[in-house]
Amino acid sequence: MIHQATKNGLYINGSWTQDENQEFFESTNPATGQVEGYCAFATPFQVNQGVESAKNAFRAWKNTPLPERAIFLWKAAQLFEEKKEHLAKTMTKEMGKVLAESLGEVGVVIETCKYMAGEGRRLFGETVSSGATNRHIMMVREPVGVVACITPWNFPVALAGYKILAALISGNTVVWKPASEVALSAQIFTEVFHEVGLPKGVLNLITGAGSKVGAQLAEHSDVKVISFTGSTEVGIKLSETAAKTLKRVSLELGGKNAAIVLKDADLNLAAEAIVKAAFTTTGQRCTAASRVIVEASVKDELLSKVVAITQKLKAGNGLESGVDIGPLTNKNQLETVEKYVSFAVQNGAVIECGGKRIPSEQGYFYEPTVLSNVKNSDRVAQEEIFGPVLAFIEVNSFEEAIELNNDTVYGLSTSLFTSSLHYANRGAKEIESGLVYINNGTSNAELGVAFGGTKHSGNGHREVSHHAFDVMTEWKSIYTTY
Ligand code: NAP
């Protein structure tokens, strides 16, 4: 059993381990500045040990019947239920999201365990009618080998769950490198699989700086798949490195998501949904709404509704009740938000609400901010800020709205608010995003539905649904002459 606020090592080959001279980094609370625990900086030797342990465990795990593999996921679902409160509080202390969101996120992990345990039983193959007599042909899905999962801090366990559980049920073994900001949460997640008795080496946890540990995993010839969620910049670097060893790389990257509001929309519904999508998780979601593209004739009315709802949001320590949004996850995030608001104002944007830090001795708090008079070409409308900033952009037609929505390098998520069947269907077709929501916020995901983005938001792979198996398996064609 691991204990918080102690120095925790790495999880390799079924045990928690650390060197005599192990170096550690702190995990600090972005609301209070308090140190919550220490996690190990893996050495290059330990990274290799993690990969070797996964490689050695692969054959036996691959040959374990799938229903038996699924039992570990069912048991894990049960144990996550028991550890829900502890894990959720650790997440809130590490990265700041409010406790209700953290509890919801553990709920997603529990449901993903159950979903993958069930969906895995449908890893069906195919048969093909042969051109030869007395020949039978079948195609089967096979696991690929060692999968390196590299995950961000904004959803410390849900995104890891999407990757790790799809990899494990398919018969792969895993080396997980979580974001350094949330390494304590990753330890609790890993401990669950230790306690349910997952065979040694099937899941390994390696913590440390992404630029070193993550980069080493991308170079390692025994790693066969990189499943990465994070920034577009790091995703591109990983692809370049992984190409040298012909690894498969699955990328879930950034976004610059818009809510399009047409003049025939239900403005109350749109305003509620937009505020939720913009400021939940303090805007630190890949699917957060950061642009509102609105028809000019309803802009003022929508803006005043959005501002009124935003001004009611209470920022504070996510562990306290009544708090709607927590701090930014680190100082760098806070400074990035300040920088973008200042760029916007220099370019003529108007601050409708928010626009400054919330005084706090130790926490990284920033007011939820709504800007108007923004042009789609402004940096605030083109670059991912990953913070509580929402920019209003006016347009004069549906066609112009679609054009501006698509005029970004990203293509993750778009909402379209309208009461017109015609525009809803045209929007669904013309919007260049992997996720399209009609009369709904930009930030929704359901199990069983493919999740991922187009353009610079990804590289064409999808998670969450059975399409995740396309990343985690490869096809083998078997010809039998009888
Ligand atoms: P990030 O800086 O790209 O880091 C993501 C992960 O990569 C972390 O584990 C990080 O480790 C590691 N890493 C950093 N540099 C690396 C390198 N050179 N080689 C290999 N690994 C490296 O992203 P973040 O700040 O944690 O997360 C925010 C980003 O994630 C945003 O762009 C957001 O849109 C995106 N995101 C996308 C989705 C989606 O599904 N599309 C979902 C959530 C988030 P360290 O923590 O140690 O640096």
Side-chain angles (χ1 to χ4, degrees):
M1 183 75 186
I2 53 172
H3 300 281
Q4 298 310 326
T6 55
K7 294 185 171 177
N8 300 311
L10 308 161
Y11 186 73
I12 299 175
N13 202 28
S15 8
W16 291 98
T17 168
Q18 53 182 274
D19 281 352
E20 226 168 81
N21 302 318
Q22 192 82 51
E23 289 185 27
F24 291 86
F25 58 94
E26 291 173 354
S27 173
T28 47
N29 186 324
T32 64
Q34 193 177 318
V35 175
E36 300 292 346
Y38 302 85
C39 304
F41 273 119
T43 62
F45 178 73
Q46 288 170 319
V47 176
N48 286 338
Q49 278 185 320
V51 175
E52 197 184 334
S53 137
K55 188 184 174 192
N56 292 340
F58 175 59
R59 185 179 294 271
W61 182 245
K62 170 189 169 180
N63 290 333
T64 302
L66 192 144
E68 282 179 35
R69 297 201 293 261
I71 288 171
F72 292 102
L73 272 59
W74 289 114
K75 285 187 181 164
Q78 227 166 359
L79 198 50
F80 275 119
E81 201 69 70
E82 287 168 32
K83 290 181 189 270
K84 195 173 191 176
E85 190 86 12
H86 173 49
L87 176 51
K89 281 189 175 155
T90 304
M91 279 159 53
T92 294
K93 287 183 199 166
E94 276 199 297
M95 58 70 67
K97 67 171 67 173
V98 297
L99 187 58
E101 279 185 54
S102 297
L103 287 165
E105 185 172 339
V106 184
V108 170
V109 173
I110 293 167
E111 290 308 309
T112 310
C113 284
K114 296 176 187 168
Y115 171 78
M116 284 296 172
E119 188 64 57
R121 304 213 37 170
R122 299 199 294 178
L123 270 166
F124 299 136
E126 295 174 20
T127 57
V128 176
S129 299
S130 171
T133 45
N134 292 347
R135 184 188 270 176
H136 168 64
I137 305 174
M138 63 179 177
M139 298 189 293
V140 295
R141 283 183 183 271
E142 295 227 315
V144 189
V146 177
V147 177
C149 298
I150 304 178
T151 51
W153 46 258
N154 66 332
F155 283 93
V157 291
L159 301 176
Y162 291 162
K163 298 173 185 311
I164 293 171
L165 300 169
L168 295 183
I169 195 67
S170 307
N172 302 285
T173 53
V174 170
V175 179
W176 178 22
K177 160 39 200 136
S180 300
E181 305 285 354
V182 292
L184 294 176
S185 306
Q187 288 171 349
I188 299 171
F189 182 106
T190 304
E191 176 67 11
V192 164
F193 285 92
H194 178 69
E195 289 182 26
V196 301
L198 194 72
K200 285 180 182 176
V202 171
L203 172 63
N204 303 272
L205 176 71
I206 301 287
T207 51
S211 55
K212 294 193 172 141
V213 174
Q216 192 182 337
L217 289 171
E219 280 166 13
H220 204 299
S221 56
D222 287 333
V223 171
K224 301 299 175 196
V225 177
I226 301 270
S227 179
F228 172 80
T229 298
S231 60
T232 299
E233 185 193 348
V234 173
I236 290 171
K237 268 193 211 160
L238 278 172
S239 294
E240 286 169 355
T241 310
K244 292 183 192 137
T245 44
L246 296 179
K247 283 179 185 46
R248 183 178 298 175
V249 182
S250 166
L251 303 173
E252 298 291 343
L253 307 173
K256 193 67 204 173
N257 315 296
I260 298 172
V261 184
L262 301 185
K263 58 184 178 231
D264 61 13
D266 176 337
L267 297 186
N268 290 324
L269 174 95
E272 290 284 349
I274 288 168
V275 171
K276 195 165 171 221
F279 301 122
T280 306
T281 324
T282 320
Q284 301 168 118
R285 286 184 170 206
C286 55
T287 51
S290 60
R291 297 181 293 159
V292 177
I293 299 173
V294 55
E295 282 201 275
S297 59
V298 291
K299 186 219 102 195
D300 286 345
E301 194 182 344
L302 180 71
L303 182 59
S304 70
K305 287 179 192 290
V306 165
V307 167
I309 304 168
T310 303
Q311 283 174 326
K312 287 194 197 128
L313 296 177
K314 188 180 166 207
N317 184 334
L319 287 181
E320 288 167 15
S321 65
V323 167
D324 300 299
I325 69 166
L328 274 309
T329 291
N330 55 43
K331 189 161 174 257
N332 191 28
Q333 288 292 120
L334 179 64
E335 289 171 356
T336 301
V337 170
E338 280 185 318
K339 184 180 79 180
Y340 275 101
V341 171
S342 132
F343 287 154
V345 171
Q346 282 163 26
N347 267 3
V350 176
I351 297 175
E352 299 287 346
C353 67
K356 54 185 188 306
R357 279 186 196 211
I358 301 173
S360 157
E361 270 180 30
Q362 303 291 346
Y364 305 125
F365 295 98
Y366 197 90
E367 292 175 343
T369 299
V370 180
L371 305 171
S372 66
N373 203 32
V374 172
K375 294 179 287 306
N376 201 54
S377 53
D378 291 347
R379 287 185 71 178
V380 75
Q382 286 292 325
E383 297 172 21
E384 187 181 43
I385 304 171
F386 225 53
V389 182
L390 182 64
F392 268 66
I393 300 161
E394 275 180 63
V395 288
N396 290 308
S397 66
F398 166 82
E399 288 76 14
E400 192 187 354
I402 297 293
E403 193 184 319
L404 294 198
N405 174 74
N406 294 345
D407 184 18
T408 141
V409 295
Y410 296 107
L412 187 54
S413 178
T414 301
S415 293
L416 171 60
F417 292 90
T418 178
S419 56
S420 153
L421 194 58
H422 173 79
Y423 287 126
N425 281 287
R426 273 186 64 191
K429 206 165 164 185
E430 294 173 33
I431 286 167
E432 293 174 357
S433 295
L435 306 165
V436 175
Y437 299 96
I438 309 293
N439 294 324
N440 220 311
T442 51
S443 195
N444 279 273
E446 288 207 26
L447 276 174
V449 183
F451 184 90
T454 61
K455 292 152 74 175
H456 279 203
S457 294
N459 64 344
H461 294 292
R462 293 292 181 266
E463 293 196 319
V464 188
S465 63
H466 64 89
H467 296 287
F469 299 140
D470 294 337
V471 174
M472 300 300 176
T473 62
E474 57 193 354
W475 287 101
K476 180 184 273 178
S477 302
I478 305 168
Y479 293 73
T480 307
T481 301
Y482 53 90

